[in-house]
Amino acid sequence: VQTAESSAPQVNLNNGNSSQQTLYQELGGEAGLSAIVDGLLARIATDPRIVHHFQETDIALFRERAIEHFCLVADGGCVYHGENMALSHQGLNITQADFDALVGHLIESMKEQHIPLSTRNALLNRLAPMYSDITYH
Ligand code: HEM
């Protein structure tokens, strides 16, 4: 015996905004974050405003720590092996302009990886409260 399909047409409400993805997944997971950090590093390396801050830095190690840190911040569940933001930026005399320059590079790097505006802003919102730990001390 065949039964007629009598219920209302199904509407798929899960059109992106209501997905259960973590921010980490929206950023492309490990591969996506690695590409974002590589793009960030490439931009820092050619920016005379801020590159001097990284003269003494082991860039390979910084790259790993930055990926882990973004992963943690984006609910990716990574273990972060670095120092907290206050300690790791202590004595670097990072100004508001330095901070804005780096964040600008992060935005451009995310754009290059085709990360949508809402996802970019979600990450920036989580980084913004770190401002006072990173600058001027
Ligand atoms: C949202 C902004 C920022 C975030 C999330 C961030 C994150 C990090 C992380 C995770 C580390 C690794 C710490 C460790 O290995 O223990 C680090 C180190 C470092 N950061 Fe930042 N940072 C930010 C802004 C800046 C800015 C604006 C500058 C300078 C222009 C800067 C300069 C440095 C330097 C030079 C190091 C390496 C210090 C060393 O060699 O030990 N950071 N940062």
Side-chain angles (χ1 to χ4, degrees), residues 3 46 63 66 71 73 75 90-91 106 111 113 121 123 127:
T3 53
T46 55
R63 178 181 181 277
C71 170
V73 167
D75 299 329
Q90 197 164 33
L106 177 60
K111 283 184 181 174
Q113 296 304 318
N121 283 343
L123 179 62
L127 299 178

Side-chain angles (χ1 to χ4, degrees), residues 53-54 57 62 65 69 80 82-83 85 88-89 94 99 134:
H53 284 295
F54 294 86
T57 298
F62 172 69
R65 295 292 178 265
H69 185 256
Y80 169 60
E83 298 287 357
M85 291 300 96
S88 53
H89 299 91
I94 295 169
F99 188 90
I134 290 171

Side-chain angles (χ1 to χ4, degrees), residues 4-51:
E5 290 280 344
S6 58
S7 58
Q10 294 257 305
V11 177
N12 182 9
L13 296 170
N14 191 2
N15 58 9
N17 293 330
S18 59
S19 78
Q20 296 303 303
Q21 283 204 107
T22 62
L23 178 55
Y24 176 69
Q25 287 169 316
E26 290 174 17
L27 290 164
E30 189 184 345
L33 267 187
S34 298
I36 290 166
V37 168
D38 284 340
L40 174 63
L41 289 177
R43 286 169 171 81
I44 291 172
T46 55
D47 186 342
R49 296 172 298 172
I50 58 173
V51 67

Side-chain angles (χ1 to χ4, degrees), residues 50-110:
I50 58 173
V51 67
H52 61 277
H53 284 295
F54 294 86
Q55 251 163 13
E56 311 273 296
T57 298
D58 177 338
I59 297 297
L61 193 61
F62 172 69
R63 178 181 181 277
E64 290 308 308
R65 295 292 178 265
I67 293 168
E68 289 171 3
H69 185 256
F70 283 135
C71 170
L72 184 68
V73 167
D75 299 329
C78 298
V79 178
Y80 169 60
H81 295 93
E83 298 287 357
N84 66 39
M85 291 300 96
L87 262 179
S88 53
H89 299 91
Q90 197 164 33
L92 295 180
N93 290 312
I94 295 169
T95 65
Q96 181 176 346
D98 294 335
F99 188 90
D100 291 347
L102 187 141
V103 168
H105 293 319
L106 177 60
I107 292 169
E108 289 306 316
S109 183
M110 287 193 285

